[in-house]
Amino acid sequence: MSEPGATPALDGDTAVEEPAPVSSRRFWAPRRIPAVVVALLLAAASALLLYDVVAVRAGHPAMRWRRALARQLAERQLDDMWVLVGAGVAAALGLWLIVLAVTPGLRDLLPMWRPRPDVRAALRRDAAALLLRDRALDVSGVRAARVRMRRRKADVRAVAHFRELDDVRADLEASLTDTIRGLGLARPPALSVRVARPGRKG
């Protein structure tokens, strides 16, 4: 008797065990635009400062902006409003860059189980939401459905025009739970279902 997860032997071949699925981490965004913007700004500032230093070494006066900046830094106190504003802007920019560096991004992609270590797959959140909506509309009594798919939670709002609301909600939860399990997500989102009657017209 063959073990679960093993393929049957054919023509005397030995059975080959299929690798068990492994969990997958979130996909990291390359973030090319922020990286290019920061690199260009740093390169431009460095080139301008280097040019001014070389010009001063060659006997030319420093640029007006550098003289004005040095004068402002020498005259203004640390508790000056513009100094505090500049420090706050620099701190906010640095914090933003740190957040970009330590967070994966690509929140629209839901990682899936990896059938093999060298294979990675993901499902877009809007595609998962559309599939859950179609499954919700297949439930008897559901007139309309709206699904908001988050990374950790799937919010389903349905409108039932007949049948008891509790029965419709139970069928929805059972159907959508099976659908989420069949998506093969590494971290299946929690399911939240709300069912209501259609509003009165007029």
Side-chain angles (χ1 to χ4, degrees):
M1 183 176 181
S2 61
E3 297 180 357
T7 55
L10 297 177
D11 298 333
D13 294 341
T14 59
V16 179
E17 294 186 358
E18 296 180 354
V22 295
S23 181
S24 178
R25 296 182 179 180
R26 290 178 57 189
F27 287 78
W28 282 74
R31 293 192 172 99
R32 296 184 179 91
I33 294 179
V36 169
V37 170
V38 173
L40 289 178
L41 290 177
L42 291 178
S46 301
L48 185 60
L49 182 59
L50 180 61
Y51 172 80
D52 190 44
V53 171
V54 172
V56 171
R57 291 288 185 178
H60 299 281
M63 289 185 179
R64 182 181 304 174
W65 66 268
R66 196 154 72 97
R67 296 197 304 267
L69 179 60
R71 185 175 62 253
Q72 292 291 336
L73 292 176
E75 295 176 354
R76 292 186 180 274
Q77 302 294 327
L78 293 179
D79 57 351
D80 185 81
M81 182 187 67
W82 290 109
V83 174
L84 296 177
V85 170
V89 172
L93 180 60
L95 181 61
W96 176 62
L97 293 176
I98 292 175
V99 170
L100 289 181
V102 301
T103 54
L106 295 180
R107 300 178 62 86
D108 289 339
L109 295 181
L110 300 174
M112 303 176 68
W113 284 101
R114 303 170 64 177
R116 296 180 180 275
D118 56 343
V119 176
R120 294 188 67 191
L123 182 65
R124 294 187 61 88
R125 283 200 289 178
D126 54 358
L130 182 60
L131 180 60
L132 292 180
R133 176 181 174 273
D134 291 342
R135 292 295 184 269
L137 292 177
D138 290 340
V139 175
S140 177
V142 176
R143 177 179 179 180
R146 180 172 58 89
V147 179
R148 185 179 180 184
M149 194 72 175
R150 302 178 181 176
R151 194 163 58 92
R152 299 182 181 275
K153 189 176 182 181
D155 292 320
V156 181
R157 304 293 179 264
V159 177
H161 56 102
F162 68 91
R163 297 183 65 196
E164 294 294 332
L165 296 183
D166 292 338
D167 296 338
V168 175
R169 184 182 299 106
D171 291 347
L172 273 174
E173 290 178 350
S175 177
L176 297 182
T177 299
D178 292 339
T179 302
I180 292 177
R181 188 182 300 113
L183 293 178
L185 299 178
R187 298 174 182 83
L191 180 63
S192 174
V193 178
R194 295 183 183 179
V195 183
R197 294 295 185 191
R200 296 181 180 180
K201 297 181 179 180

